[in-house]
Amino acid sequence: MGKLTNFKRSLWVFHASGGSCNACDIEIIAALTPRYDVERFGIKLVGSPRHADVLLVTGAIPRDFADKLRRIYEQMADPKAVVVVGNCGTSGGVFYDSYNIAGPIDEIIPVDVYVPGCPPRPEAIIDGVVKAWLKLEKLEKELEGKKE
């Protein structure tokens, strides 16, 4: 794992649930509890995609939510990263090939990190967010290099 050095502020995360069984959502909340306490690392859950650096997406995405997910993604400022949490968002999970599922999330918006599992452990979710953080640091360095 790389060293986090360049990101000069806290990492803000917006969570979008596509209508899953909520097991992944519960594990995300578990990462916020005192046992894991991701806020001590500067990772904070926010209520608006306009404030977010990372988009956490859970669940299989129904057709009627696909446009809303695209809109959430477009509202985020650049640079941004997308983390898909759980098997349902990655491949459709138990909902694979269902009539109402728009497909895997990477067919709707670009995805940077996949966190597999049903549900994934909080440690895996934290690891996925850190990988997204590293991607954002790399993009920040590239943007700073273009400014100079």
Side-chain angles (χ1 to χ4, degrees):
M1 183 85 46
K3 184 179 173 189
L4 300 174
T5 56
N6 192 37
F7 220 61
K8 296 174 178 63
R9 57 186 166 76
S10 295
L11 187 73
W12 288 6
V13 178
F14 181 78
H15 172 222
S17 176
S20 59
C21 70
N22 292 334
C24 294
D25 306 324
I26 291 168
E27 296 298 319
I28 290 170
I29 298 303
L32 297 168
T33 63
R35 179 172 182 156
Y36 299 98
D37 194 19
V38 295
E39 286 193 12
R40 69 186 157 144
F41 302 120
I43 300 169
K44 182 175 177 2
L45 202 61
V46 295
S48 170
R50 295 180 192 276
H51 299 144
D53 304 302
V54 175
L55 176 62
L56 278 182
V57 186
T58 59
I61 304 299
R63 294 188 193 287
D64 64 343
F65 188 67
D67 289 334
K68 294 170 183 68
L69 184 62
R70 277 189 209 94
R71 196 171 330 135
I72 289 169
Y73 177 79
E74 290 165 1
Q75 288 176 356
M76 294 174 63
D78 288 325
K80 57 190 163 194
V82 176
V83 178
V84 174
V85 178
N87 292 342
C88 290
T90 303
S91 65
V94 296
F95 306 105
Y96 176 77
D97 212 19
S98 178
Y99 73 96
N100 194 37
I101 300 302
I105 293 171
D106 60 4
E107 292 180 6
I108 301 168
I109 58 174
V111 174
D112 300 297
V113 180
Y114 295 93
V115 181
C118 186
R121 301 267 312 141
E123 297 93 336
I125 296 169
I126 294 167
D127 182 57
V129 171
V130 168
K131 287 178 181 171
W133 198 334
L134 292 170
K135 181 231 177 200
L136 289 172
E137 283 187 345
K138 183 179 173 186
L139 290 173
E140 276 298 310
K141 285 181 183 178
E142 289 174 4
L143 287 174
E144 285 178 7
K146 287 181 181 179
K147 289 180 182 176
E148 293 174 0

